[in-house]
Amino acid sequence: MDIGAQPIGTRLIGLAALLVGNVALACGPWLVRLADTGPVSAGFWRVALALPFLFLIASIRGERIAGIPRRATLLVLAGGVFFGLDIAAWHIGIGDTRLANATLFGNAGSVILMVWGFFMLRRLPKGREWPAILAALAGATILLGRSMELSPANFVGDLYCLLAGLLYAGYLLLLQDARRSFGSWSVLAVSSSASVAVLLVVALALREPFWPTDWTPVLLLALSSQLIGQGLLVYSLKLFPPLVIGIALLTQPAVAALIGWVVFGEWLVPLDLLGIVLVGSALVVARVTMPKEPPRPRVNPV
């Protein structure tokens, strides 16, 4: 899209929406830690509380939900299962690793999709794709190594967050074709219906504390991650090219690192910052090399 052809007011509003949406999503891990439920239970409430509003928004926008081809509906529901498992793994990881690591690894789906594309196209990386893959591997190695130095629990938390990134890539792949039959909000509404069921089953299987005694964190989580964050990103994605979206994505680990430092005392040394920069640069390149019509609306698991 030609950004220069847009009115300056539209560009400024879109940029504000893009940044505020990323900041709202970056606050998600903090709220997960504040919730007095288990981490997967917090994920259930995050999606369940927002679900009626997702259907309402889809209806207001005139996006159809009924009458969709059966295959597309099944793909969206299957994607919702992956999304639910993604949230479950990510929320478990958030409790054990640093917020910056959780945010970066949770967004690893973009890099995973880029690598998956090489297999599907049966070609080797080329141009800036090689540096992006090497940067992702080097940055992940640094951050994983630092987590292992801090404690084995941090390392396990990182692995859960990486698993979440892998599951999110599966979610996007499943929705790639179905996205042509659904609107952005109807995709999220229908897939979230399956996600709620998955999160409920996992939370009960883990015997976590389920009912909040303080509803504030889970209400804010649903509002910030599922409604404000998603809504603003859905609005802004159509206004900017992938490079701008990718750069704005770096707001999330920056905000998460700041929250981790101020609230939880998660100090970052220069080696941590190097790892964050390497993984972050790989995420930007991966976003640029993704298809022009990526499955939407979710940019990050936060």
Short mmCIF file of all heavy atoms in Angstrom, two decimals, residues 23-31 33 99-100 252-266:
data_model
loop_
_atom_site.label_atom_id
_atom_site.label_comp_id
_atom_site.label_asym_id
_atom_site.label_seq_id
_atom_site.Cartn_x
_atom_site.Cartn_y
_atom_site.Cartn_z
N VAL A 23 1.58 -1.97 22.39
CA VAL A 23 1.80 -1.74 23.82
C VAL A 23 0.76 -2.51 24.64
O VAL A 23 1.08 -3.12 25.66
CB VAL A 23 1.74 -0.23 24.14
CG1 VAL A 23 1.72 -0.01 25.65
CG2 VAL A 23 2.93 0.49 23.52
N ALA A 24 -0.50 -2.49 24.18
CA ALA A 24 -1.55 -3.22 24.90
C ALA A 24 -1.24 -4.71 24.95
O ALA A 24 -1.40 -5.36 26.00
CB ALA A 24 -2.90 -2.98 24.22
N LEU A 25 -0.75 -5.26 23.83
CA LEU A 25 -0.41 -6.68 23.81
C LEU A 25 0.81 -6.97 24.69
O LEU A 25 0.90 -8.03 25.31
CB LEU A 25 -0.13 -7.13 22.37
CG LEU A 25 -1.35 -7.19 21.45
CD1 LEU A 25 -0.92 -7.40 20.00
CD2 LEU A 25 -2.29 -8.31 21.88
N ALA A 26 1.74 -6.02 24.75
CA ALA A 26 2.94 -6.22 25.57
C ALA A 26 2.63 -6.26 27.05
O ALA A 26 3.40 -6.81 27.84
CB ALA A 26 3.95 -5.11 25.28
N CYS A 27 1.50 -5.68 27.46
CA CYS A 27 1.10 -5.71 28.87
C CYS A 27 0.47 -7.05 29.26
O CYS A 27 0.28 -7.32 30.46
CB CYS A 27 0.10 -4.59 29.16
SG CYS A 27 0.81 -2.94 29.04
N GLY A 28 0.16 -7.89 28.28
CA GLY A 28 -0.48 -9.17 28.56
C GLY A 28 0.28 -10.06 29.53
O GLY A 28 -0.30 -10.56 30.51
N PRO A 29 1.59 -10.28 29.33
CA PRO A 29 2.33 -11.14 30.26
C PRO A 29 2.30 -10.63 31.70
O PRO A 29 2.25 -11.43 32.65
CB PRO A 29 3.75 -11.12 29.69
CG PRO A 29 3.57 -10.86 28.24
CD PRO A 29 2.40 -9.92 28.16
N TRP A 30 2.35 -9.33 31.89
CA TRP A 30 2.28 -8.75 33.22
C TRP A 30 0.96 -9.12 33.88
O TRP A 30 0.90 -9.54 35.04
CB TRP A 30 2.43 -7.23 33.10
CG TRP A 30 2.38 -6.47 34.39
CD1 TRP A 30 2.60 -6.95 35.66
CD2 TRP A 30 2.11 -5.08 34.54
NE1 TRP A 30 2.47 -5.94 36.58
CE2 TRP A 30 2.18 -4.78 35.93
CE3 TRP A 30 1.83 -4.04 33.64
CZ2 TRP A 30 1.96 -3.50 36.43
CZ3 TRP A 30 1.63 -2.77 34.14
CH2 TRP A 30 1.69 -2.51 35.51
N LEU A 31 -0.13 -8.99 33.13
CA LEU A 31 -1.46 -9.29 33.68
C LEU A 31 -1.61 -10.78 33.97
O LEU A 31 -2.30 -11.16 34.92
CB LEU A 31 -2.53 -8.80 32.70
CG LEU A 31 -2.58 -7.28 32.51
CD1 LEU A 31 -3.47 -6.91 31.33
CD2 LEU A 31 -3.08 -6.60 33.78
N ARG A 33 0.72 -12.70 35.07
CA ARG A 33 1.38 -12.90 36.36
C ARG A 33 0.56 -12.35 37.52
O ARG A 33 0.62 -12.87 38.64
CB ARG A 33 2.76 -12.24 36.35
CG ARG A 33 3.79 -12.98 35.50
CD ARG A 33 5.17 -12.42 35.75
NE ARG A 33 6.18 -13.08 34.92
CZ ARG A 33 7.47 -12.75 34.95
NH1 ARG A 33 7.89 -11.80 35.77
NH2 ARG A 33 8.32 -13.38 34.17
N LEU A 99 10.01 -11.53 31.09
CA LEU A 99 8.95 -11.06 30.20
C LEU A 99 9.47 -10.76 28.79
O LEU A 99 8.77 -11.00 27.81
CB LEU A 99 8.29 -9.80 30.78
CG LEU A 99 7.54 -9.96 32.11
CD1 LEU A 99 6.75 -8.69 32.41
CD2 LEU A 99 6.60 -11.16 32.07
N ALA A 100 10.68 -10.22 28.69
CA ALA A 100 11.25 -9.93 27.36
C ALA A 100 11.41 -11.21 26.56
O ALA A 100 11.07 -11.27 25.38
CB ALA A 100 12.58 -9.20 27.51
N GLN A 252 6.77 -4.42 21.42
CA GLN A 252 6.33 -5.40 22.42
C GLN A 252 7.46 -5.88 23.32
O GLN A 252 7.35 -5.78 24.55
CB GLN A 252 5.64 -6.59 21.73
CG GLN A 252 4.29 -6.25 21.16
CD GLN A 252 3.54 -7.49 20.71
OE1 GLN A 252 3.57 -8.53 21.36
NE2 GLN A 252 2.88 -7.39 19.57
N PRO A 253 8.59 -6.41 22.78
CA PRO A 253 9.65 -6.82 23.70
C PRO A 253 10.25 -5.66 24.48
O PRO A 253 10.69 -5.84 25.63
CB PRO A 253 10.69 -7.48 22.79
CG PRO A 253 10.36 -7.02 21.41
CD PRO A 253 8.89 -6.77 21.39
N ALA A 254 10.28 -4.46 23.89
CA ALA A 254 10.82 -3.31 24.60
C ALA A 254 9.96 -2.97 25.81
O ALA A 254 10.47 -2.76 26.93
CB ALA A 254 10.91 -2.11 23.66
N VAL A 255 8.64 -2.93 25.62
CA VAL A 255 7.73 -2.62 26.73
C VAL A 255 7.76 -3.74 27.76
O VAL A 255 7.78 -3.50 28.98
CB VAL A 255 6.30 -2.40 26.20
CG1 VAL A 255 5.30 -2.29 27.35
CG2 VAL A 255 6.24 -1.14 25.34
N ALA A 256 7.77 -5.00 27.29
CA ALA A 256 7.81 -6.14 28.21
C ALA A 256 9.09 -6.12 29.04
O ALA A 256 9.07 -6.41 30.24
CB ALA A 256 7.71 -7.44 27.43
N ALA A 257 10.23 -5.79 28.41
CA ALA A 257 11.50 -5.72 29.15
C ALA A 257 11.44 -4.62 30.20
O ALA A 257 11.95 -4.79 31.32
CB ALA A 257 12.65 -5.47 28.18
N LEU A 258 10.84 -3.48 29.85
CA LEU A 258 10.71 -2.37 30.80
C LEU A 258 9.85 -2.77 31.99
O LEU A 258 10.20 -2.51 33.15
CB LEU A 258 10.12 -1.15 30.10
CG LEU A 258 9.92 0.10 30.97
CD1 LEU A 258 11.26 0.59 31.51
CD2 LEU A 258 9.22 1.20 30.17
N ILE A 259 8.72 -3.43 31.72
CA ILE A 259 7.85 -3.89 32.80
C ILE A 259 8.57 -4.92 33.67
O ILE A 259 8.52 -4.88 34.91
CB ILE A 259 6.54 -4.49 32.24
CG1 ILE A 259 5.70 -3.41 31.55
CG2 ILE A 259 5.73 -5.16 33.35
CD1 ILE A 259 4.50 -3.95 30.80
N GLY A 260 9.28 -5.83 33.02
CA GLY A 260 10.02 -6.85 33.76
C GLY A 260 11.07 -6.24 34.68
O GLY A 260 11.26 -6.71 35.81
N TRP A 261 11.73 -5.19 34.20
CA TRP A 261 12.76 -4.53 35.00
C TRP A 261 12.15 -3.75 36.16
O TRP A 261 12.57 -3.90 37.32
CB TRP A 261 13.57 -3.60 34.10
CG TRP A 261 14.54 -2.72 34.83
CD1 TRP A 261 15.42 -3.10 35.81
CD2 TRP A 261 14.71 -1.32 34.65
NE1 TRP A 261 16.14 -2.01 36.25
CE2 TRP A 261 15.73 -0.91 35.55
CE3 TRP A 261 14.13 -0.38 33.80
CZ2 TRP A 261 16.17 0.42 35.64
CZ3 TRP A 261 14.57 0.95 33.88
CH2 TRP A 261 15.56 1.33 34.79
N VAL A 262 11.14 -2.92 35.87
CA VAL A 262 10.57 -2.03 36.88
C VAL A 262 9.75 -2.81 37.92
O VAL A 262 9.85 -2.57 39.13
CB VAL A 262 9.70 -0.95 36.22
CG1 VAL A 262 8.96 -0.13 37.27
CG2 VAL A 262 10.55 -0.05 35.34
N VAL A 263 8.92 -3.75 37.45
CA VAL A 263 7.96 -4.41 38.34
C VAL A 263 8.56 -5.66 38.99
O VAL A 263 8.34 -5.93 40.17
CB VAL A 263 6.67 -4.78 37.58
CG1 VAL A 263 5.68 -5.49 38.50
CG2 VAL A 263 6.04 -3.53 36.98
N PHE A 264 9.33 -6.43 38.21
CA PHE A 264 9.80 -7.73 38.70
C PHE A 264 11.31 -7.80 38.91
O PHE A 264 11.83 -8.85 39.25
CB PHE A 264 9.36 -8.84 37.74
CG PHE A 264 7.88 -8.94 37.57
CD1 PHE A 264 7.26 -8.46 36.43
CD2 PHE A 264 7.08 -9.49 38.56
CE1 PHE A 264 5.88 -8.54 36.27
CE2 PHE A 264 5.71 -9.58 38.42
CZ PHE A 264 5.10 -9.10 37.27
N GLY A 265 12.01 -6.68 38.69
CA GLY A 265 13.45 -6.66 38.91
C GLY A 265 14.23 -7.56 37.97
O GLY A 265 15.29 -8.08 38.33
N GLU A 266 13.74 -7.74 36.74
CA GLU A 266 14.40 -8.60 35.76
C GLU A 266 15.45 -7.77 35.00
O GLU A 266 15.17 -7.18 33.96
CB GLU A 266 13.38 -9.20 34.80
CG GLU A 266 12.39 -10.13 35.51
CD GLU A 266 11.28 -10.63 34.60
OE1 GLU A 266 11.22 -10.21 33.42
OE2 GLU A 266 10.46 -11.44 35.06
#
